[in-house]
Structures are given as structure tokens and as C-alpha cells.
Amino acid sequence: RPNRNGQTYPEGLYADRTSLGADPLGLFGRVEGGREIHARNFGDFTLEDLLGQGDEDGGVRKPRLFSTHLFGPDLLPRGLFDGEDEEGQKKEGRGRLIVVARNLKDAMCSLHRFRGLSSDGWHGNGTGPGSFARYVSPDCPNGYGSAFEWVAANDAAVRAVGERRSLVVLYEDVVEDFPGQLRRINDFLGLGVLTERRAAAIEGACSMESMRAANMRTGMTIHRGGVGNWRDEPISEG
């Protein structure tokens, strides 16, 4: 099962069930309850379980859902895109792609609140530009890379996958009209009728209050949410 956030981190999983008892780095012995902490944070299943979650179940193939920070045609699964099989025959891409985008200034402020403000503040110093210029520069030194390159790569991915199998959702639209965007996603995925009761339950589970209360890990990664918070920060265009 995934962790309490409904997430899993493949790099934190064992390869298969036979290796569940292994602790090759001796991590669990360093912290009391280390194995249980690992299961809460990374999920109590294996990479083999993750890869097989779409296996046939009673003759019906179950859909798989992957949420990732990876982006663009070079990093997303090859199966999403049209290509060729091992024999050189054309192979049509499968699956659907949803990209969630946000105003880059708000995204930058959120990142700084999560990772900490850069040592030279928002405006930079005499030897380099300020934070926003760095954030969108192709040469961004940020460990997560350039935000502009992220947008460009995802644009290329959406174009490659095509309108029928791709959807772009703006964070600002979700904040303004959660029910409308939820139904848009539901219709795109072909999930059938979304009842008012179910929609209300999903909206409640996605509220800031619910996510903060989920557990300590979630509470630590959530700041303010909302739209336009960058205006409250002393950042500049340069």
C-alpha cells in the first residue's frame, strides 16, 4: 500500500517481496522503529508490486495512476508517445497525460518556503541576478533545474501526445473553480458520472485543512496555497 499521503517513492522501495527483510545499508537499526517509519514514508510494498498494479483482475485490466515530478518526452514513460516496436513497426502511444501548471512566480515562492530562501535573498548580489531571473534561466543553478525549461519540455510532451490524450490543468483554475476542474478531469479520464456527493468528498479531501491534518509530513510541505502570493514577497523581475 502507499504511504499515508497516498504516495510512493520508487527509489525507496525494495525490488520484490523476497527482499523485504533485507536492510543492506543498516538504516533500520539506527532509528527506533526504523522499518515502520520507512513504510509510512515510502509505502509498504515493492517495486514489483508497483509495476504489476495494472495486471489483469477478473479479466479486467486495472488502470494505473502515476504522479511524478519528471517532465518532458525525455523523462516521461516512452509508452506515452508514438514510436516503433522492436521490429521497427509503428506503435501508437498509450495512456493519458495530465500536466498541472502554476504561475511561475507563485511556484518560486512556494519552492523557497519549502527549501529555504537563497542565501543572497530575492534580489541576488553584485555577482549575479536575483532569484526569479535565476529561476527561469536555462542556466538555473537550482537543483530542480529551470522552471522555464520545465514549461517548454511539458509543452513538447503535450504536443507529442496530442489533444485526445493530454490535458493541461492550471492551478489557478483549480483554486477558482474546483468542482468545474474536477469534472473536467473526470470527463477527460472517462470515469463516468461524478455525483455531487463524490465531488464534495474529493474537494474536502483536497482542502488545505485536510491535507495539513493528514500527517506531519504533509503539514510540513504545505504553506499557503492560493493565487498571487508572490505579490507579498519583495521579488523583482530582474
Side-chain angles (χ1 to χ4, degrees), residues 78-79 81-92:
R78 293 180 182 176
F81 308 97
D82 294 344
E84 295 182 350
D85 60 21
E86 296 178 354
E87 299 177 353
Q89 300 296 315
K90 289 185 178 181
K91 185 178 181 180
E92 185 176 339

Side-chain angles (χ1 to χ4, degrees), residues 3 11-12 19 39 47 66 74-75 87 90 92 94 112 122 129 133 156 164 173-174 185 199 206 210 218 235:
N3 66 19
E11 68 274 20
S19 60
L47 185 60
F66 294 93
D74 293 338
L75 298 178
E87 299 177 353
K90 289 185 178 181
E92 185 176 339
R94 300 177 59 187
H112 277 317
W122 293 112
R164 183 176 63 86
D173 290 344
V174 174
I185 295 171
C206 293
S210 293
T218 305
I235 65 175

Side-chain angles (χ1 to χ4, degrees), residues 67-171:
S67 300
T68 179
H69 291 294
L70 300 179
F71 57 92
D74 293 338
L75 298 178
L76 291 173
R78 293 180 182 176
L80 270 174
F81 308 97
D82 294 344
E84 295 182 350
D85 60 21
E86 296 178 354
E87 299 177 353
Q89 300 296 315
K90 289 185 178 181
K91 185 178 181 180
E92 185 176 339
R94 300 177 59 187
R96 306 191 185 198
L97 173 66
I98 299 177
V99 176
V100 180
R102 187 181 188 185
N103 181 306
L104 293 184
K105 290 182 179 180
D106 275 338
M108 182 190 72
C109 292
S110 179
L111 174 65
H112 277 317
R113 293 301 176 187
F114 178 56
R115 299 294 296 176
L117 188 63
S118 54
S119 60
D120 54 3
W122 293 112
H123 299 292
N125 54 38
T127 61
S131 294
F132 188 67
R134 284 197 300 258
Y135 188 63
V136 298
S137 170
D139 298 322
C140 178
N142 189 317
Y144 295 102
S146 165
F148 184 81
E149 293 295 318
W150 181 93
V151 173
N154 274 322
D155 178 66
V158 167
R159 292 175 185 272
V161 171
E163 294 182 0
R164 183 176 63 86
R165 294 190 296 113
S166 65
L167 180 71
V168 177
V169 177
L170 300 181
Y171 177 86

Side-chain angles (χ1 to χ4, degrees), residues 198-209:
R198 180 65 172 166
I202 295 173
E203 183 171 11
C206 293
S207 69
M208 298 288 286
E209 293 75 17

Side-chain angles (χ1 to χ4, degrees), residues 1 8-20 38 42-55 64 66:
R1 64 183 185 276
T8 185
Y9 294 82
E11 68 274 20
L13 301 181
Y14 289 105
D16 51 46
R17 285 283 159 186
T18 61
S19 60
L20 275 178
H38 181 277
F42 296 105
D44 186 21
F45 58 97
T46 68
L47 185 60
E48 184 178 48
D49 296 332
L50 176 65
L51 295 177
Q53 67 177 212
D55 290 346
R64 293 183 293 176
F66 294 93

